[in-house]
Amino acid sequence: MTINRRKLLAGGAGLGLASGFGLPPLSSQARAQAAGMEYVFLSIVTQVPFWVDYRNAMTDLEEQMGIRATFTGPLDFDTAAQARQLDEIIARRPAGIMIFPGDPVTLAPGVQRAVEAGIPVTTCIGDIPDSPRSTFLGINGVQAGRVGGEMLAQAIGGRGKVLLGTFPAPSTLERVEGYQQVFAERYPDIEVVDIVNDRADPAYAPTAYLQALQANPDVVGIGGTDGDSGKGAAIAVHEAGRAGDVKIVAMDRNDDMLPYIQDGTIYGAVAQKSYLEIYLAFHMMHWQNTDALRVLPDWRAAGINPLPERVETGVMQITAENVSQFVH
C-alpha cells in the first residue's frame, strides 16, 4: 500500500488540523509574516536515504506555511564542513535553523552566533547542550536502543552471539548503550561479540558487516543503530548465505531498507518520527518569529526561553505486519 500524502494533507485541512498532528493552522497574519521566510535544516551525511521524511515534511511545510525550506549539509561525516556551513547560513540571516549536529562541541560557537544574530535554533536527533538553542526534538537514544535490543532478543529467542552496528556520532552511540543495557539486565545469554563501525556509509556498510560475519560465524543476530546499518547488514547476510539465519533489527525507515523487511531478511526496525520532528521545529521557530507565544509581554526582554527545552518524539516499531504503511 502506498500512502498518498497529498490526500492526507487535504483531509487534514478539512478537519482544521495541520497535517494531522493537531496543530492549528497558521492565522492569516502569521501566514503573511511567513511569506518568503527561509527556514534551514542543516544536517550531515546528507547523501543517505534516511532524510526522505524530513524532505517530505519540508515540502509540505512550504505549502502550508508559505515559507521557503532549505535542506543542506556535508555529504559525508565532515564536522568541520558542517561548522563552516553554519556560519555561511548565519550570514544570509534565515528565519530559523534546525541542526542535526555531527559534533556538538564544534557547532556550539556557531549556534551562539546565530542566536546573538536573532535567529532561532533548534536541534534534532542529537543535541548541542552547551548552547542557547531553543529546543531539542527527537528520541531518547538510550531508550531507542533498548527498544531495538528487546526486538532483537525476541527475534533470536533470548540467546546467542550478536553484532551491533553504528558509527561514531553521540546519538548512535547512545543507542548502542541502550542495546547493551537491555541485554545485561534481561538477557544474560546474549553476547555482543563485536561493535561494527559501518560509517553510516551505504557503500561501505555491507563490507563491514560481511567481514564481521566471517570473523564471527556463529553470530545469530545483528542490531543496527544508524539508518544505513539495516540495508548493509541485509546485503551482507545474503552474500554470506545466511539470510533468514541471522536475524536483523534495523534503525529508521529508509526506503531502500523497507523491502528487506517485506521479504523477511530484516526482522524489524526502530524508526524515529522524523517528519514530526521537523514539522514541530519549523512551527516552533515561526512562533518565536511572529510572537505567537505570548507567555510574557516580552519574553526576550525577560531573558527566558518560551519553548520546551526538550521534546521527546519517541519511536515507531516497523515489522512485516505494518511495513506497507511506511512505503511512499
Side-chain angles (χ1 to χ4, degrees):
M1 174 182 174
T2 299
I3 297 175
N4 187 320
R5 289 168 44 254
R6 293 297 173 193
K7 287 184 178 179
L8 284 178
L9 287 171
L15 293 171
L17 301 177
S19 194
F21 287 118
L23 291 176
L26 293 179
S27 67
S28 57
Q29 179 182 359
R31 186 174 177 85
Q33 288 177 298
M37 283 186 171
E38 181 189 24
Y39 288 88
V40 179
F41 179 24
L42 173 62
S43 187
I44 198 166
V45 197
T46 55
Q47 63 174 316
V48 299
F50 168 72
W51 307 109
V52 60
D53 280 347
Y54 292 95
R55 289 178 178 272
N56 286 340
M58 292 169 73
T59 298
D60 294 341
L61 286 164
E62 285 187 320
E63 179 179 325
Q64 294 169 18
M65 298 176 67
I67 62 170
R68 288 188 297 123
T70 302
F71 177 82
T72 190
L75 294 177
D76 301 309
F77 193 72
D78 188 337
T79 57
Q82 190 182 34
R84 289 194 298 272
Q85 281 194 264
L86 177 56
D87 281 333
E88 293 167 2
I89 293 166
I90 294 168
R92 68 175 190 252
R93 294 295 192 272
I97 306 171
M98 182 175 181
I99 304 174
F100 165 41
D103 178 24
V105 174
T106 302
L107 290 175
V111 174
Q112 181 72 44
R113 289 190 289 274
V115 173
E116 288 174 353
I119 304 169
V121 177
T122 58
T123 57
C124 72
I125 307 176
D127 199 6
I128 309 176
D130 296 323
S131 75
R133 60 94 177 120
S134 298
T135 301
F136 162 79
L137 300 98
I139 63 174
N140 178 314
V142 174
Q143 184 58 35
R146 291 181 67 92
V147 172
E150 189 65 44
M151 289 179 71
L152 186 58
Q154 295 302 315
I156 64 175
R159 63 177 59 246
K161 295 180 179 180
V162 302
L163 304 171
L164 298 180
T166 192
F167 77 105
S171 56
T172 53
L173 294 176
E174 287 178 354
R175 300 168 202 168
V176 171
E177 182 183 347
Y179 267 90
Q180 294 172 319
Q181 281 185 8
V182 81
F183 293 159
E185 294 170 10
R186 295 173 52 83
Y187 300 99
D189 293 327
I190 295 178
E191 178 186 358
V192 178
V193 295
D194 194 9
I195 297 176
V196 179
N197 179 4
D198 60 28
R199 303 178 189 170
D201 183 342
Y204 172 75
T207 299
Y209 290 110
L210 181 59
Q211 290 175 344
L213 286 169
Q214 292 170 338
N216 301 277
D218 50 354
V219 159
V220 297
I222 301 174
T225 64
D226 67 77
D228 295 288
S229 53
K231 181 182 177 182
I235 293 172
V237 297
H238 276 287
E239 291 184 0
R242 300 195 62 192
D245 173 32
V246 177
K247 307 300 181 183
I248 301 169
V249 171
M251 186 74 200
D252 299 317
R253 44 85 50 236
N254 294 9
D255 282 346
D256 60 354
M257 179 271 292
L258 297 178
Y260 292 102
I261 297 179
Q262 291 175 308
D263 71 15
T265 305
I266 294 177
Y267 176 79
V270 180
Q272 302 173 73
K273 298 177 183 176
S274 304
Y275 187 108
L276 178 62
E277 289 172 8
I278 198 163
Y279 195 93
L280 290 175
F282 276 27
H283 275 84
M284 286 180 172
M285 290 187 290
H286 193 59
W287 294 340
Q288 289 177 281
N289 286 324
T290 58
D291 291 320
L293 293 177
R294 298 177 181 176
V295 295
L296 290 173
D298 189 341
W299 55 265
R300 292 183 182 85
I304 63 109
N305 176 11
L307 300 178
E309 293 290 335
R310 294 180 61 86
V311 177
E312 289 195 6
T313 49
V315 297
M316 305 173 286
Q317 294 186 46
I318 307 176
T319 65
E321 287 70 33
N322 67 6
V323 64
S324 64
Q325 296 290 332
F326 292 85
V327 178
H328 286 135

